[in-house]
Amino acid sequence: MGAMSVRNQSSEPSEERGTSRPLDAVGDHRAGFACFVGRPNAGKSTLTNALVGQKVAITANQPQTTRHTVRGIVHRADAQLILVDTPGLHKPRTLLGERLNDIVRTTWAEVDVIGFCLPANEKLGPGDRFIAKELASIKKTPKIAIVTKTDLVDSKTLAEQLIAIDQLGRELGFEWAEIVPVSAVGDSQVGLLADLIVPLLPEGPALYPEGDLTDEPEQVMIAELIREAALEGVRDELPHSIAVVVEEMLPREDRPADKPLLDIHAFVYIERPSQKGIVIGPKGKRLKDVGIKSRKQIEALLGTPVFLDLHVKVAKDWQRDPRQLRKLGF
């Protein structure tokens, strides 16, 4: 790839998700792992969900909301693409921050393709350079620059961003395998992105059964849905301070087979007593709303009616306490 290669479609409607492009030989099948990296809030989780076609990674307007390595699985006739969604890499301030960064680097070393998400509507900044430098040190893995949120900018701004991204790679001594503008919200070029990732995967059979969309344990996914609902509308420093643990999931006894009910008991952990009122809200209204919103999503995920029992607990300074971090799943 001598000159800069930018993949863009004309104003044709974007191709459907999961459509397959025939590979060179009949019977060729590829399967492998890709991960999306980028500054917090660069659109990684939204892109994962758009590719998989179902909500698996949590998305919120706050940065740094994905804590677990959530895998979304894209099933195609010619390939199976497993998406590993890591937390955003950042300069750590706490023990939790350091652990998150370790997870990120380990993941990068193990995947077949790295997609670097850069929002079209924000100029490249120190955070992007910090990540790009780290990427440059991972020599063998092909790197695709994915320009996200293209629905938010005009064509001139987009062109400037594409040139800046191309130059960033050159400055750091590597070349992007592809530079692809996408809008996950507008479903623009999402199918094309999958088409460009697939040839970079190793040949081989599918690694997961056809119906699987993620290999996250259900309890972890449920905790993430509750956490996302709890984050909504909380604009101060709370995103880092909320953890959710699903204590137990039990089918309600004495229910007829055609009317099952699943009892889910979960704790929302915060760091300080002063945060309790924020999460619970006046007369418990906020926590009730969190319960209603997350219950609907949990029922959609599990396909069964759910009774959700939520309690708020204080776990003092849990982000800095190794024992509590272990208890909360980090």
Side-chain angles (χ1 to χ4, degrees):
M1 200 179 82
M4 177 175 77
S5 150
V6 174
R7 295 301 186 124
N8 210 340
Q9 286 174 312
S10 62
S11 55
E12 297 290 311
S14 68
E15 65 220 71
E16 215 176 301
R17 187 187 300 106
T19 52
S20 56
R21 206 170 52 173
L23 292 169
D24 301 335
V26 178
D28 265 355
H29 187 277
R30 293 173 185 268
F33 295 83
C35 77
F36 296 143
V37 305
R39 276 184 295 127
N41 211 16
K44 303 182 293 293
S45 296
T46 309
L47 191 56
T48 299
N49 294 335
L51 279 161
V52 176
Q54 179 170 329
K55 191 165 178 172
V56 277
I58 72 163
T59 56
N61 293 328
Q62 290 85 356
Q64 214 47 45
T65 46
T66 310
R67 286 250 172 85
H68 297 276
T69 305
V70 179
R71 292 174 170 83
I73 304 165
V74 183
H75 299 276
R76 296 166 44 123
D78 59 341
Q80 189 177 71
L81 169 62
I82 298 126
L83 301 167
V84 188
D85 190 33
T86 57
L89 191 81
H90 61 295
K91 294 192 168 121
R93 291 194 305 269
T94 61
L95 180 61
L96 173 65
E98 283 171 30
R99 287 203 186 167
L100 292 174
N101 278 1
D102 289 344
I103 292 169
V104 175
R105 290 195 188 90
T106 308
T107 304
W108 291 5
E110 291 168 354
V111 296
D112 302 300
V113 183
I114 298 172
F116 184 13
C117 294
L118 298 132
N121 62 333
E122 294 173 35
K123 283 197 156 60
L124 299 186
D128 298 313
R129 288 176 191 283
F130 173 71
I131 294 169
K133 245 186 208 146
E134 294 271 343
L135 284 180
S137 66
I138 296 169
K139 300 285 184 230
K140 288 178 184 164
T141 316
K143 294 167 265 295
I144 293 180
I146 303 165
V147 188
T148 60
K149 308 186 184 185
T150 56
D151 52 301
L152 301 179
V153 298
D154 57 27
S155 53
K156 181 174 177 284
T157 309
L158 179 58
E160 286 166 1
Q161 185 75 323
L162 295 171
I163 292 164
I165 290 167
D166 182 53
Q167 284 173 343
L168 178 64
R170 288 170 198 269
E171 274 169 37
L172 295 169
F174 69 89
E175 203 165 0
W176 302 106
E178 303 279 358
I179 300 176
V180 196
V182 301
S183 166
V185 174
D187 203 14
S188 166
Q189 305 224 122
V190 173
L192 174 72
L193 175 63
D195 283 343
L196 296 174
I197 293 173
V198 164
L200 301 171
L201 302 176
E203 286 186 19
L207 302 167
Y208 288 86
E210 179 70 43
D212 287 10
L213 292 171
T214 173
D215 75 346
E216 275 286 21
E218 281 176 348
Q219 277 176 252
V220 173
M221 290 182 74
I222 289 165
E224 292 282 65
L225 288 172
I226 296 167
R227 189 165 176 268
E228 178 180 22
L231 286 176
E232 236 167 70
V234 182
R235 285 285 174 269
D236 40 31
E237 283 306 293
L238 239 49
H240 278 295
S241 311
I242 293 178
V244 175
V245 174
V246 174
E247 289 288 319
E248 60 177 17
M249 290 167 54
L250 295 168
R252 179 83 57 94
E253 287 182 20
D254 308 326
R255 295 283 291 199
D258 59 337
K259 286 190 177 165
L261 183 68
L262 187 67
D263 285 317
I264 298 177
H265 301 277
F267 289 103
V268 178
Y269 286 96
I270 47 178
E271 288 196 299
R272 292 186 294 282
S274 60
Q275 298 169 340
K276 209 167 180 176
I278 300 171
V279 175
I280 293 172
K283 295 186 178 169
K285 185 177 179 317
R286 241 191 83 66
L287 189 63
K288 193 178 173 188
D289 290 346
V290 169
I292 291 167
K293 183 163 198 267
S294 53
R295 194 193 76 232
K296 280 182 188 157
Q297 296 192 331
I298 293 164
E299 288 179 339
L301 175 76
L302 301 179
T304 184
V306 161
F307 173 79
L308 181 60
D309 178 40
L310 282 183
H311 292 276
V312 179
K313 274 191 170 182
V314 178
K316 203 167 180 318
D317 290 331
W318 63 264
Q319 294 191 56
R320 291 175 171 77
D321 178 347
R323 196 173 55 84
Q324 300 216 58
L325 279 173
R326 272 198 303 278
K327 185 188 165 195
L328 297 173
F330 302 109

